[in-house]
Amino acid sequence: MHFVASLRDIVVSSTDIDADLARAEVALELLDALLTDDHPTPQLSRGPSGALTIEWLVDGCVLVIDVVSPSDVRLWAEDAAGSDVFDYELNRNWEPSDGAIREARDFLEALAKGVRHRVQLRGL
């Protein structure tokens, strides 16, 4: 709920509501493709360029989605040592079966093992 409320607050306070609505739509589509109830809960913020940044931080590992626009999305991850795990640029035509999405989903599965307190996002 906190994530959805944060997303709503970003869009409502926007100076460019059309751009932020488009970013929010992509963010929600990506979350739908990536998340299960067992995955860690993401955090949301606005980047300096106006991008929506979705971030998971667990045991020093990080997974980040930067939604600059519907056709400019970066999906990247680092392990606890700070080494790159993957780094993808997604365009508007990505599919839930894409390798980048599968790799991010697998990374979230691994992160889920380190989560001590879970907040379920589905079924609300």
Side-chain angles (χ1 to χ4, degrees):
M1 288 299 284
H2 178 71
F3 179 87
V4 174
S6 296
L7 187 57
R8 181 202 64 221
D9 291 346
I10 284 174
V11 172
V12 167
S13 66
S14 176
T15 56
D16 187 352
I17 198 157
D18 290 336
D20 277 333
L21 282 172
R23 289 182 190 113
E25 181 179 343
V26 170
L28 290 172
E29 288 172 7
L30 281 164
L31 288 175
D32 188 50
L34 290 174
L35 289 180
T36 70
D37 283 339
D38 294 331
H39 288 163
T41 306
Q43 299 174 23
L44 176 70
S45 62
R46 181 189 296 281
S49 66
L52 290 179
T53 299
I54 306 163
E55 191 170 35
W56 290 263
L57 303 164
V58 178
D59 292 338
C61 298
V62 61
L63 173 66
V64 177
I65 301 171
D66 286 315
V67 182
V68 177
S69 73
S71 59
D72 184 4
V73 179
R74 182 173 173 221
L75 174 64
W76 60 275
E78 290 182 352
D79 63 18
S83 299
D84 288 343
V85 176
F86 55 80
D87 191 345
Y88 294 105
E89 297 288 332
L90 303 176
N91 63 34
R92 188 67 177 115
N93 298 320
W94 65 269
E95 294 288 332
S97 61
D98 284 351
I101 300 301
R102 284 194 317 270
E103 192 167 359
R105 203 177 305 128
D106 291 345
F107 190 73
L108 283 172
E109 293 273 330
L111 290 183
K113 295 174 183 164
V115 175
R116 292 175 213 61
H117 304 287
R118 299 191 188 281
V119 176
Q120 293 195 354
L121 294 179
R122 296 194 185 268
L124 297 176

